[in-house]
Amino acid sequence: MNTILLDPVKDADAYKKAVSLLRAGEVVGMPTETVYGLAANALNGAAVKKIFVAKGRPQDNPLIVHIADQKQLYTLVQSVPESAKKLAAIFWPGPLTMILPKASCIPDVVSAGLDTVGIRLPSHPVARRLIWEAGIPLAAPSANTSGRPSTTTSKHVLEDLGGKIPAVLEGGPCIVGVESTVISLSGAKPRLLRPGGISLEQLEEVLGEVEVDRALCEKIGDDVRVSAPGMKYRHYAPKAPVTVVCGDPERTAAYITRHAGMDAGVICFSECAFQFAMHERRVIGAAGDVQTQARRIFDALRSFDGTSVREIWAQCPNDRGLGLAVANRLKKAAGFHVINIV
Ligand code: TXA
Ligand code: MG
């Protein structure tokens, strides 16, 4: 299959072409403000199955359904609690996914057999226009081969899925860079299942106490039932093994300098970059600039594939704000191989 890049800036019919593919039950790569997604008609089970095939995604990992307008939420879930109304009013459109009891129109393949569904209203204008013109909700996981780092440019999508999907819609580099925050509102208390573009602190400001799922911080065994099935899989992993070093930036840099071999790649903060002049290094931004770190983290992880790097060392931001999401992606990329410098 030849994958075409549809660029709305150069081609006035780009949306029309993407919409006709989606309506015909095909999959299309779609930009969002977080990462690129691989979209299909969420109400068509056969179309959604093609997403799992193209990504090589395990069948028990449910998909997020993307909408273009707040009203669409009410048609896809059984009921909308006050907490969801408040969060939607403040954070939508934007990088927040809410898990709610699903309505019967959601096919089982979307929810992987669960009785809940994740809904998100993205803020990327290209995504919103696509969903709006398609006139259907779009199921979309991140547009990477299952297990690899997520994709934040159309070039990344073509690297992973070129030849396997009919088209990718161009939307430029993703401005958030890590996936949406996933919060479950289907239980007694709100529960954070995945940290992302909206911080835990922002959620707590609106909801009060938010429980944090332990799969965020530690490796989960294959036999354990987790709230978000995606959390138990090896994720975001480049080919070379990753070691994450947490703590004060000067001290983590010193630790990595002492332990990294000559064939190591290093993911580091700008302040420490000069210390890794001998290594293949990726600078993800200043130690305090988690926004920039979030935007660069997946490109950094992906960029070592195809180099001679045999091991990867990464400095890790602390857990404040967006730092929790960046740290979570790094730790998952490392299979939770983490060194804490205290
Ligand atoms: O930013 C994002 O959320 C991107 C863009 C494309 O919107 N999408 C994305 O999808 O990251 P994906 O499939 O890569 O990650 C979705 C996560 C998985 O960990 C999945 O297990 C969890 O959300 N999830 C989806 N539906 C769920 C449900 N009903 N209950 C619990 N977890 C759910
Ligand atoms: Mg993903």
Side-chain angles (χ1 to χ4, degrees), residues 4-28:
I4 46 170
L5 184 63
L6 298 169
D7 186 345
V9 176
K10 299 181 188 144
D11 176 1
D13 289 333
Y15 290 104
K16 212 193 275 172
K17 290 173 187 166
V19 165
S20 65
L21 284 166
L22 290 168
R23 290 224 185 110
E26 279 303 330
V27 295
V28 172

Side-chain angles (χ1 to χ4, degrees), residues 79-97:
S79 59
V80 181
E82 276 311 308
S83 53
K85 286 182 194 161
K86 274 195 210 162
L87 291 176
I90 296 170
F91 299 119
W92 276 3
L96 179 70
T97 298

Side-chain angles (χ1 to χ4, degrees), residues 148-149 234 236-245 255-256 259-268 276 279-282 284 297-315 329-330 333-335 337-339:
R148 294 207 71 212
R234 185 174 147 87
Y236 312 124
K239 297 204 172 92
V242 181
T243 305
V244 172
V245 188
Y255 184 93
I256 295 172
H259 290 84
M262 284 306 292
D263 55 2
V266 177
I267 293 177
C268 64
F276 304 111
H279 292 96
E280 186 78 58
R281 74 181 171 200
R282 303 290 182 268
I284 53 168
I297 193 64
F298 284 132
D299 185 61
L301 285 167
R302 296 178 75 88
S303 70
F304 290 112
D305 290 355
T307 70
S308 57
V309 162
R310 304 289 295 276
E311 57 181 35
I312 299 168
W313 293 78
Q315 290 190 286
R329 303 313 187 268
L330 277 172
H337 185 228
V338 179
I339 292 164

Side-chain angles (χ1 to χ4, degrees), residues 32 34-37 55 57 61-64 66 97 99 114 116-118 120 140-142 178-180 182 193-194 227-231:
T32 83
T34 57
V35 300
Y36 273 70
K55 285 191 50 133
R57 182 178 175 102
N61 194 2
L63 306 180
I64 294 170
H66 297 69
T97 298
I99 308 290
L114 299 175
T116 54
V117 64
R120 164 161 126 79
S142 49
V178 290
E179 300 90 339
S180 63
V182 179
L193 303 185
R194 178 176 73 181
S227 332
M231 295 191 300

